[in-house]
Amino acid sequence: MSAEERPAESAAAASAGVRLRPMRAQDAAAADEVMQTALTDGARSRGEQQRPPEPGRRERALAVLRHFVATDPEGCWVAERDEQMLGMAVAIRRGRLWGLGLLFIAPQAQRMGIGRMLLDATARHAAGASVKMIMASTDPRAVRTYAAHGLDVHPAMTATGRVERSRLQAQAAGRAGSLADLPLVEEVDMAVRGSSRAVDVEFLLGEGAAITVVDDASGRGYAVHEPGLPIVGGHPMMLSATSEEAAAKLLREVLAQAEEEPVEIFGLTRRQNWAIQVAFEARLSVAPGSPLCLTPGLEPPGPWLLSGIYF
């Protein structure tokens, strides 16, 4: 995500002919282009090398954007000038939870206040939400913007590396799930998050994702991931459970299926210490990462992993 911190610049963007409008399904390709260009530019400015795109990444990204345009039309916005897209943002609403999942500005349009304009537009989708959540980038401007928007900043860790599968296989537990487990998904999410992601799980399973389920004496839970690979960006798409023990079982199960590609598990606050311990078991490196911004006074859910755009 990327955002600018100076609200006065929004007037400059408006005076420069920048306008906002709701995102449409046919905007998915242009929105993805803005996102990828911004990610590449950000990595370059930090002296990092952008990872090669995963096979099928673009097709998945377009499907996801169209999914959110369908489920959350009031949370999906683009900024444009002379019919050229300069920014895009996607926020979802699931029951009492609002989350800003994507906010990207084209490099040539940085520092014009477009990020603030998009944030304000998506925030209207949060009316009545008691939980507001944003996974910030490491960009200090973005963190300041979200803090100024009234959210608390929770420091978080990121676990990265190649999984030593042999250390996890013996501890793995769980079963392959299916669409028949959507009632379990809803029950677990309502207990842990107070909001269900069943509509998103159904979409992901239709796109070829796998779901692993734990339902035993340790608790109930589920993880959605790529078959044989816990990666979209090296991270389980979703993980939620009614206990830390069940959540740890799920994470071990998903990581045990990892192939040789590196993984990245982000958003690990102090409430995810159970996940940090599993990461250590798998011989992953754990270091400070992007913070989680959350409604003041609330704690992040515990037996749960932040899912980026799915929260």
Side-chain angles (χ1 to χ4, degrees), residues 38-196:
L39 285 170
T40 300
D41 182 74
R44 185 185 302 114
S45 67
R46 296 188 297 272
E48 302 171 359
Q49 185 173 1
Q50 185 78 350
R51 282 194 297 191
E54 300 154 13
R57 185 216 63 81
R58 181 170 172 79
E59 291 75 15
R60 285 198 302 266
L62 299 187
V64 168
L65 289 170
R66 291 168 184 144
H67 167 68
F68 287 129
V69 167
T71 61
D72 295 84
E74 296 178 357
C76 301
W77 292 82
V78 299
E80 62 182 12
R81 180 176 57 192
D82 299 329
E83 299 186 357
Q84 179 186 11
M85 192 178 297
L86 300 177
M88 55 84 72
V90 172
I92 67 169
R93 182 70 182 271
R94 299 292 176 266
R96 69 189 185 112
L97 184 147
W98 171 91
L100 177 65
L102 301 171
L103 199 164
F104 290 97
I105 311 301
Q108 72 272 20
Q110 294 283 337
R111 298 184 178 277
M112 291 176 59
I114 295 174
R116 170 67 65 168
M117 293 170 66
L118 286 166
L119 178 60
D120 289 344
T122 60
R124 292 194 287 272
H125 194 35
S130 58
V131 180
K132 300 176 184 178
M133 194 178 296
I134 300 174
M135 180 67 190
S137 70
T138 54
D139 185 340
R141 296 173 299 168
V143 178
R144 281 198 298 271
T145 295
Y146 303 142
H149 215 70
L151 301 181
D152 284 350
V153 179
H154 295 256
M157 310 293 282
T158 298
T160 58
R162 298 181 187 276
V163 175
E164 290 192 17
R165 299 170 64 182
S166 61
R167 299 184 57 84
L168 295 170
Q169 296 259 11
Q171 302 180 64
R175 63 171 174 82
S178 68
L179 286 171
D181 291 299
L182 287 180
L184 179 144
V185 167
E186 184 154 6
E187 291 171 16
V188 170
D189 273 353
M190 292 303 295
V192 176
R193 301 156 29 94
S195 59
S196 171

Side-chain angles (χ1 to χ4, degrees), residues 219-279:
R220 312 180 80 202
Y222 71 93
V224 179
H225 55 96
E226 292 255 346
L229 191 66
I231 289 180
V232 165
H235 186 84
M237 297 175 191
M238 296 183 191
L239 191 153
S240 186
T242 58
S243 72
E244 291 187 356
E245 183 180 356
K249 282 184 178 181
L250 283 164
L251 185 54
R252 289 189 185 101
E253 175 75 14
V254 174
L255 290 179
Q257 298 178 38
E259 298 175 355
E260 296 303 315
E261 288 80 357
V263 301
E264 179 184 59
I265 305 171
F266 52 77
L268 302 177
T269 71
R270 65 184 186 86
R271 297 293 307 281
Q272 281 78 47
N273 191 59
W274 57 270
I276 292 174
Q277 296 306 313
V278 173

